[in-house]
Protein backbone atom coordinates (compact mmCIF):
# COMPACT_ATOMS: atom_id res chain seq x y z
CA UNK A 1 0.00 0.00 0.00
CA UNK A 2 1.49 3.29 -1.06
CA UNK A 3 0.84 6.87 -0.02
CA UNK A 4 -2.78 7.98 0.11
CA UNK A 5 -4.73 10.84 -1.41
CA UNK A 6 -8.22 12.05 -0.58
CA UNK A 7 -10.40 12.08 2.48
CA UNK A 8 -12.59 9.00 2.30
CA UNK A 9 -12.53 5.62 0.67
CA UNK A 10 -14.68 3.01 -1.30
CA UNK A 11 -14.44 0.14 -4.02
CA UNK A 12 -11.80 -1.77 -5.98
CA UNK A 13 -13.96 -1.83 -9.08
CA UNK A 14 -12.92 -1.04 -12.58
CA UNK A 15 -13.23 2.57 -13.66
CA UNK A 16 -13.84 3.08 -17.39
CA UNK A 17 -11.70 5.74 -19.08
CA UNK A 18 -13.23 9.18 -18.74
CA UNK A 19 -15.37 8.26 -15.75
CA UNK A 20 -15.53 10.86 -13.02
CA UNK A 21 -15.99 10.13 -9.34
CA UNK A 22 -16.51 12.74 -6.62
CA UNK A 23 -13.09 13.59 -5.28
CA UNK A 24 -14.41 14.40 -1.81
CA UNK A 25 -15.67 10.84 -1.35
CA UNK A 26 -12.87 8.96 -3.10
CA UNK A 27 -9.65 7.57 -1.72
CA UNK A 28 -7.06 7.32 -4.44
CA UNK A 29 -4.62 4.48 -3.87
CA UNK A 30 -1.69 3.78 -6.22
CA UNK A 31 -1.81 0.04 -6.77
CA UNK A 32 1.08 -2.39 -7.17
CA UNK A 33 1.07 -5.96 -8.43
CA UNK A 34 0.72 -7.19 -4.86
CA UNK A 35 -2.33 -4.96 -4.37
CA UNK A 36 -4.05 -6.48 -7.39
CA UNK A 37 -3.37 -9.94 -5.97
CA UNK A 38 -4.82 -8.97 -2.59
CA UNK A 39 -7.95 -7.66 -4.30
CA UNK A 40 -8.35 -10.88 -6.29
CA UNK A 41 -8.00 -9.09 -9.63
CA UNK A 42 -5.84 -10.26 -12.52
CA UNK A 43 -4.50 -7.06 -14.12
CA UNK A 44 -4.01 -8.98 -17.37
CA UNK A 45 -7.80 -9.40 -17.56
CA UNK A 46 -8.46 -5.65 -17.62
CA UNK A 47 -9.73 -4.40 -20.94
CA UNK A 48 -7.43 -2.07 -22.89
CA UNK A 49 -7.70 1.41 -21.40
CA UNK A 50 -9.37 0.21 -18.21
CA UNK A 51 -7.92 1.45 -14.96
CA UNK A 52 -8.23 0.51 -11.32
CA UNK A 53 -7.87 4.03 -9.94
CA UNK A 54 -9.85 4.32 -6.76
CA UNK A 55 -10.90 2.28 -3.81
CA UNK A 56 -14.13 3.39 -2.17
CA UNK A 57 -15.19 2.34 1.32
CA UNK A 58 -18.36 3.34 3.20
CA UNK A 59 -16.71 5.82 5.56
CA UNK A 60 -19.13 7.15 8.19
CA UNK A 61 -22.03 5.81 6.12
CA UNK A 62 -25.12 5.16 8.28
CA UNK A 63 -26.39 2.81 5.57
CA UNK A 64 -23.39 0.51 5.99
CA UNK A 65 -25.29 -2.66 6.98
CA UNK A 66 -22.63 -4.04 9.30
CA UNK A 67 -22.68 -1.15 11.78
CA UNK A 68 -25.09 -0.90 14.68
CA UNK A 69 -25.83 2.33 16.53
CA UNK A 70 -24.49 2.23 20.09
CA UNK A 71 -26.64 2.76 23.16
CA UNK A 72 -24.24 5.53 24.15
CA UNK A 73 -21.95 7.58 21.88
CA UNK A 74 -18.56 5.92 21.59
CA UNK A 75 -19.76 2.69 23.24
CA UNK A 76 -20.86 0.18 20.57
CA UNK A 77 -23.11 -2.63 21.69
CA UNK A 78 -21.37 -5.91 22.51
CA UNK A 79 -22.98 -9.27 21.70
CA UNK A 80 -24.22 -10.90 24.88
CA UNK A 81 -22.53 -14.24 24.15
CA UNK A 82 -19.02 -12.77 24.22
CA UNK A 83 -16.65 -13.62 27.06
CA UNK A 84 -15.46 -10.83 29.31
CA UNK A 85 -12.04 -10.97 27.65
CA UNK A 86 -13.62 -10.58 24.22
CA UNK A 87 -15.77 -7.66 25.35
CA UNK A 88 -12.75 -5.92 26.84
CA UNK A 89 -10.74 -6.56 23.69
CA UNK A 90 -13.44 -5.11 21.46
CA UNK A 91 -13.81 -2.03 23.67
CA UNK A 92 -10.07 -1.46 23.49
CA UNK A 93 -10.14 -1.72 19.70
CA UNK A 94 -13.08 0.69 19.52
CA UNK A 95 -11.19 3.15 21.71
CA UNK A 96 -8.04 2.92 19.61
CA UNK A 97 -10.02 3.37 16.40
CA UNK A 98 -11.71 6.45 17.82
CA UNK A 99 -8.40 7.98 18.94
CA UNK A 100 -6.89 7.37 15.50
CA UNK A 101 -9.93 8.79 13.72
CA UNK A 102 -10.32 11.91 15.85
CA UNK A 103 -7.07 12.43 17.77
CA UNK A 104 -6.81 15.26 20.29
CA UNK A 105 -4.95 18.30 19.07
CA UNK A 106 -5.47 17.22 15.43
CA UNK A 107 -2.28 15.16 15.34
CA UNK A 108 -1.74 11.80 13.63
CA UNK A 109 0.16 10.42 16.61
CA UNK A 110 -1.17 10.35 20.14
CA UNK A 111 0.13 9.13 23.48
CA UNK A 112 -2.98 7.00 23.96
CA UNK A 113 -1.93 4.74 21.09
CA UNK A 114 1.63 4.46 22.36
CA UNK A 115 0.45 3.80 25.90
CA UNK A 116 -2.01 1.12 24.84
CA UNK A 117 0.13 -0.79 22.37
CA UNK A 118 3.21 -3.01 22.43
CA UNK A 119 5.42 -3.33 19.36
CA UNK A 120 6.17 -6.94 18.52
CA UNK A 121 7.49 -9.09 15.68
CA UNK A 122 4.57 -10.95 14.17
CA UNK A 123 6.39 -14.28 14.29
CA UNK A 124 6.35 -14.20 18.10
CA UNK A 125 2.57 -13.97 18.45
CA UNK A 126 0.54 -16.78 16.82
CA UNK A 127 -2.73 -14.99 17.54
CA UNK A 128 -1.56 -12.01 15.47
CA UNK A 129 -0.68 -14.34 12.61
CA UNK A 130 -4.17 -15.82 12.94
CA UNK A 131 -5.71 -12.33 12.73
CA UNK A 132 -3.80 -11.51 9.54
CA UNK A 133 -4.96 -14.77 7.96
CA UNK A 134 -8.60 -14.50 9.03
CA UNK A 135 -9.26 -10.77 8.61
CA UNK A 136 -10.02 -10.78 4.85
CA UNK A 137 -12.54 -13.62 5.33
CA UNK A 138 -14.26 -11.82 8.22
CA UNK A 139 -14.39 -8.62 6.14
CA UNK A 140 -16.02 -10.53 3.30
CA UNK A 141 -19.14 -11.17 5.40
CA UNK A 142 -18.77 -9.27 8.68
CA UNK A 143 -21.28 -9.99 11.45
CA UNK A 144 -23.41 -7.04 12.57
CA UNK A 145 -21.24 -4.43 14.24
CA UNK A 146 -17.96 -6.18 13.38
CA UNK A 147 -16.78 -3.74 10.72
CA UNK A 148 -16.40 0.00 11.05
CA UNK A 149 -14.86 2.59 8.75
CA UNK A 150 -14.38 6.02 10.29
CA UNK A 151 -13.02 9.28 8.95
CA UNK A 152 -11.94 12.37 10.82
CA UNK A 153 -9.04 14.71 11.42
CA UNK A 154 -6.80 11.67 11.91
CA UNK A 155 -7.67 10.21 8.52
CA UNK A 156 -9.49 7.08 7.38
CA UNK A 157 -9.46 4.25 9.91
CA UNK A 158 -10.71 0.66 9.71
CA UNK A 159 -11.72 -1.42 12.73
CA UNK A 160 -12.62 -5.07 12.29
CA UNK A 161 -13.65 -7.49 15.05
CA UNK A 162 -12.84 -11.18 14.60
CA UNK A 163 -13.65 -14.15 16.85
CA UNK A 164 -10.64 -13.73 19.19
CA UNK A 165 -8.96 -10.64 17.75
CA UNK A 166 -9.67 -7.10 16.58
CA UNK A 167 -7.73 -5.35 13.83
CA UNK A 168 -7.35 -1.56 13.75
CA UNK A 169 -5.40 0.33 11.11
CA UNK A 170 -5.24 3.71 9.44
CA UNK A 171 -5.53 3.75 5.66
CA UNK A 172 -5.13 7.46 4.96
CA UNK A 173 -3.17 9.73 4.96
CA UNK A 174 -0.53 7.23 6.12
CA UNK A 175 -1.00 3.43 6.36
CA UNK A 176 -0.03 3.10 10.00
CA UNK A 177 -0.27 2.23 12.82
CA UNK A 178 -1.51 -1.34 12.43
CA UNK A 179 -2.81 -2.71 15.72
CA UNK A 180 -4.10 -6.14 16.70
CA UNK A 181 -6.02 -6.61 19.95
CA UNK A 182 -6.31 -10.17 21.24
CA UNK A 183 -8.22 -11.84 24.04
CA UNK A 184 -4.98 -13.11 25.55
CA UNK A 185 -3.40 -9.66 25.97
CA UNK A 186 -5.56 -7.59 28.30
CA UNK A 187 -5.47 -3.81 28.11
CA UNK A 188 -3.00 -3.50 25.25
CA UNK A 189 -2.80 -4.04 21.52
CA UNK A 190 0.03 -5.54 19.53
CA UNK A 191 1.56 -3.00 17.13
CA UNK A 192 2.89 -4.79 14.05
CA UNK A 193 3.47 -2.18 11.32
CA UNK A 194 7.09 -1.75 12.41
CA UNK A 195 7.95 -5.39 11.64
CA UNK A 196 9.90 -5.38 8.33
CA UNK A 197 9.90 -9.17 7.99
CA UNK A 198 6.11 -9.38 7.88
CA UNK A 199 5.43 -6.16 5.98
CA UNK A 200 4.25 -7.91 2.77
CA UNK A 201 1.75 -10.03 4.70
CA UNK A 202 0.53 -7.05 6.73
CA UNK A 203 0.01 -4.89 3.64
CA UNK A 204 -1.69 -7.78 1.83
CA UNK A 205 -4.17 -8.17 4.69
CA UNK A 206 -4.87 -4.43 4.85
CA UNK A 207 -5.54 -4.20 1.13
CA UNK A 208 -7.69 -7.34 1.15
CA UNK A 209 -9.81 -6.01 4.05
CA UNK A 210 -10.27 -2.64 2.36
CA UNK A 211 -11.16 -4.41 -0.86
CA UNK A 212 -13.87 -6.47 0.83
CA UNK A 213 -15.34 -3.47 2.68
CA UNK A 214 -15.31 -1.50 -0.57
CA UNK A 215 -18.00 -3.83 -1.85
CA UNK A 216 -20.39 -1.79 0.32
CA UNK A 217 -19.19 1.45 -1.26
CA UNK A 218 -20.07 3.28 -4.44
CA UNK A 219 -19.99 0.85 -7.34
CA UNK A 220 -19.70 -2.18 -5.08
CA UNK A 221 -21.91 -5.21 -5.51
CA UNK A 222 -23.27 -4.77 -1.96
CA UNK A 223 -23.72 -1.01 -2.10
CA UNK A 224 -27.14 0.23 -0.97
CA UNK A 225 -28.16 3.36 -2.90
CA UNK A 226 -29.83 6.09 -0.85
CA UNK A 227 -33.59 5.82 -0.49
CA UNK A 228 -35.29 9.10 -1.42
CA UNK A 229 -36.67 10.79 1.66
CA UNK A 230 -34.72 8.65 4.12
CA UNK A 231 -33.67 10.84 7.05
CA UNK A 232 -30.39 9.02 7.61
CA UNK A 233 -29.40 9.62 4.00
CA UNK A 234 -30.31 13.29 4.29
CA UNK A 235 -28.22 13.59 7.42
CA UNK A 236 -25.30 11.78 5.76
CA UNK A 237 -25.53 13.96 2.66
CA UNK A 238 -25.46 17.05 4.81
Amino acid sequence: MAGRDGEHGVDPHRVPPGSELPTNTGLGIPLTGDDYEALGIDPDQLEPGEQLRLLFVPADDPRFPDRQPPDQPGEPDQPEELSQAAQDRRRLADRLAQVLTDPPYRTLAHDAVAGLSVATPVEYVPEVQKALAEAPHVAEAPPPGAARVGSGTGGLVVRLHGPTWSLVFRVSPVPYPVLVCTDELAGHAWRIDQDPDWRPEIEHTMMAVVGQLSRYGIGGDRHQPPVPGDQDDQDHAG
Side-chain angles (χ1 to χ4, degrees):
M1 298 177 71
R4 304 305 192 242
D5 299 315
E7 297 178 356
H8 303 283
V10 188
D11 178 50
H13 299 276
R14 301 170 182 178
V15 181
S19 296
E20 294 185 1
L21 293 171
T23 57
N24 65 332
T25 58
L27 171 63
I29 300 180
L31 298 178
T32 68
D34 291 339
D35 293 334
Y36 281 99
E37 179 183 352
L39 294 171
I41 294 174
D42 182 357
D44 294 333
Q45 299 302 313
L46 293 175
E47 296 295 332
E50 275 192 315
Q51 301 177 58
L52 194 59
R53 298 190 311 190
L54 293 175
L55 296 178
F56 289 101
V57 292
D60 303 320
D61 189 341
R63 293 174 286 110
F64 186 27
D66 294 315
R67 291 185 59 185
Q68 293 179 329
D71 291 334
Q72 300 294 331
E75 298 181 4
D77 293 335
Q78 304 292 346
E80 295 181 357
E81 68 274 12
L82 290 179
S83 67
Q84 187 61 52
Q87 293 183 45
D88 292 343
R89 178 253 304 170
R90 290 166 67 113
R91 290 192 181 96
L92 173 61
D94 293 338
R95 178 182 177 187
L96 289 168
Q98 186 60 46
V99 169
L100 289 176
T101 303
D102 292 302
Y105 315 117
R106 300 177 67 87
T107 60
L108 293 181
H110 188 257
D111 290 343
V113 174
L116 294 173
S117 62
V118 179
T120 184
V122 174
E123 66 174 319
Y124 293 164
V125 188
E127 191 69 13
V128 170
Q129 299 173 34
K130 179 181 178 182
L132 292 176
E134 292 182 352
H137 303 289
V138 174
E140 183 176 4
R148 178 184 178 188
V149 184
S151 64
T153 56
L156 184 75
V157 176
V158 171
R159 188 272 287 138
L160 182 68
H161 290 318
T164 58
W165 51 264
S166 296
L167 176 65
V168 179
F169 62 90
R170 181 188 283 122
V171 180
S172 168
V174 291
Y176 58 82
V178 182
L179 307 167
V180 179
C181 304
T182 63
D183 289 353
E184 62 187 18
L185 181 65
H188 289 78
W190 298 110
R191 180 168 181 175
I192 61 174
D193 55 280
Q194 298 169 326
D195 182 354
D197 294 334
W198 278 72
R199 183 169 293 124
E201 291 83 357
I202 295 168
E203 293 183 348
H204 184 280
T205 293
M206 294 168 66
M207 180 61 70
V209 167
V210 170
Q212 288 295 340
L213 297 182
S214 75
R215 298 175 67 186
Y216 294 95
I218 299 171
D221 61 341
R222 297 181 179 178
H223 176 59
Q224 296 185 10
V227 177
D230 185 88
Q231 185 62 45
D232 286 341
D233 294 320
Q234 294 176 8
D235 293 342
H236 183 59

